[in-house]
């Protein structure tokens, strides 16, 4: 049976961690959900891991629609989330709705938007019109040039307070999941307690409601040094399927992420 937002909220209520992974095609969609992954995130990270770009900024709406369609064709069970690419939602809420509707038509069940206060009006506008919104706070890769690189966010007290306020306000505006990327574990813990929406962490410590990784990081495919929050699950596995099963078991069993993957 297809997982829904209600399924995910019930998992949190029952103390079960949510497992998410990025996914960009039909074959992996089938494999990942058969291994027990709850959320398939068609992330704009595809710009980096599939297209070889230096950032996610060049990814277009048309490319996202294509990959969402591929994932949706391979999937029967998972909850599918699509990233709204850079420039497809920041103008105004009407632009965001027009473009989000294309991603939902392609097979996504929810869209993910990066940003805090600047996204409140758009979040409310989308949710009022039936588009579920996944907030994304902390290291927001579409703002890499503003942030001065891929760095841990929310370390200073004022930044941490602002991030927590952003999470509270986005939930009040209707966001029903919250991605927390590269922030101190203690801050992610505080945000998770402060909001009713499940939090999904990447580089945000063990206390989020669930975890996400970029599929290629889990498979040990990265150029140069692995990010601190990543783990190569191919080590000790005899197949890709088994590596993903180990990731699912380690997140559900609260063995991943460990302190060595957290800030
Ligand atoms: O695009 C992406 O892969 C993401 C990650 C943070 C999971 O948003």
């Amino acid at each position: 049976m297809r997982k829904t937002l209600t399924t995910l909220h019930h998992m949190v209520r029952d103390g079960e961690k949510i497992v998410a992974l990025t996914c960009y095609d039909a074959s992996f969609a089938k494999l990942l959900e058969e291994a027990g992954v709850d959320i398939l995130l068609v992330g704009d990270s595809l710009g980096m891991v599939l297209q070889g770009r230096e950032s996610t900024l060049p990814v277009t709406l048309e490319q996202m629609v294509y990959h969402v369609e591929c994932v949706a064709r391979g999937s029967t069970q998972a909850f599918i989330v699509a990233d709204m690419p850079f420039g497809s939602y920041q103008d105004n809420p009407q632009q965001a709705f027009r473009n989000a509707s294309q991603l939902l038509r392609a097979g996504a069940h929810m869209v993910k938007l990066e940003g805090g206060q600047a996204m409140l009006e758009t979040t409310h506008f989308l949710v009022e019109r039936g588009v579920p919104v996944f907030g994304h706070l902390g290291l927001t890769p579409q703002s890499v040039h503003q942030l001065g690189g891929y760095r841990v966010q929310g370390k200073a007290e004022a930044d941490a307070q602002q991030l927590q306020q952003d999470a509270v306000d986005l939930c009040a505006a209707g966001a029903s999941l919250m991605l927390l990327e590269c922030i101190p574990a203690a801050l992610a813990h505080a945000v998770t307690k402060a909001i009713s929406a499940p939090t999904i962490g990447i580089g945000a410590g063990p206390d989020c409601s669930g975890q996400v990784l970029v599929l290629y990081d889990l498979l040990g495919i990265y150029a140069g040094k692995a990010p601190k929050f990543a783990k190569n699950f191919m080590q000790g596995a005899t197949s890709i399927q088994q590596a993903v099963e180990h990731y699912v078991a380690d997140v559900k069993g609260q063995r991943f992420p460990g302190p060595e993957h957290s800030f």
Side-chain angles (χ1 to χ4, degrees):
M1 212 168 69
R2 176 73 74 183
K3 286 170 185 154
T4 65
L5 264 179
T6 310
T7 323
L8 301 174
H9 280 253
H10 285 174
M11 286 170 64
V12 177
R13 181 197 63 194
D14 299 341
E16 181 180 347
K17 294 279 183 185
I18 298 168
V19 182
L21 255 184
T22 68
C23 182
Y24 318 106
D25 67 54
S27 300
F28 268 110
K30 185 167 185 301
L31 184 151
L32 302 191
E33 63 181 26
E34 283 178 1
V37 174
D38 303 306
I39 298 177
L40 302 178
L41 169 63
V42 188
D44 59 359
S45 52
L46 67 86
M48 298 171 83
V49 297
L50 297 188
Q51 300 175 345
R53 310 267 193 185
E54 280 187 3
S55 75
T56 58
L57 299 180
V59 176
T60 65
L61 182 68
E62 290 67 30
Q63 290 164 353
M64 291 303 298
V65 166
Y66 170 77
H67 285 282
V68 171
E69 284 173 349
C70 294
V71 168
R73 273 186 223 116
S75 161
T76 56
Q77 297 167 51
F79 187 69
I80 302 173
V81 178
D83 264 341
M84 296 204 69
F86 180 65
S88 73
Y89 60 99
Q90 291 92 343
D91 268 2
N92 53 57
Q94 288 77 9
Q95 179 213 26
F97 181 78
R98 237 183 353 266
N99 292 331
S101 66
Q102 289 204 46
L103 294 167
L104 261 59
R105 240 179 263 129
H109 305 126
M110 179 178 226
V111 295
K112 180 161 75 59
L113 315 181
E114 297 185 8
Q117 297 298 315
M119 285 302 123
L120 295 185
E121 192 190 343
T122 295
T123 298
H124 183 70
F125 190 88
L126 292 180
V127 172
E128 285 281 292
R129 285 157 184 77
V131 180
V133 171
F134 197 154
H136 183 158
L137 296 172
L139 172 52
T140 45
Q142 292 174 9
S143 304
V144 60
H145 300 310
Q146 182 130 335
L147 298 174
Y150 297 100
R151 301 164 194 274
V152 180
Q153 302 296 309
K155 287 206 284 194
E157 184 54 31
D159 295 342
Q161 274 178 20
Q162 182 61 57
L163 190 146
Q164 183 158 334
Q165 192 60 51
D166 288 348
V168 168
D169 292 347
L170 281 167
C171 286
S176 43
L177 289 176
M178 192 64 58
L179 194 133
L180 301 175
E181 179 166 358
C182 289
I183 62 171
L187 175 58
H189 177 76
V191 172
T192 302
K193 289 186 86 158
I195 62 176
S196 55
T199 57
I200 307 294
I202 177 165
D207 297 324
C208 294
S209 320
Q211 295 293 327
V212 64
L213 277 182
V214 171
L215 174 64
Y216 285 53
D217 287 346
L218 176 150
L219 298 176
I221 307 171
Y222 22 72
K225 197 165 161 274
K228 177 178 162 82
F229 55 77
K231 179 172 170 186
N232 177 358
F233 281 89
M234 284 304 287
Q235 283 173 355
T238 55
S239 66
I240 291 175
Q241 177 87 20
Q242 200 183 54
V244 179
E245 284 168 2
H246 288 172
Y247 167 63
V248 172
D250 280 4
V251 173
K252 300 264 183 205
Q254 306 193 26
R255 293 181 294 277
F256 178 82
E260 69 277 25
H261 308 113
S262 307
F263 301 103

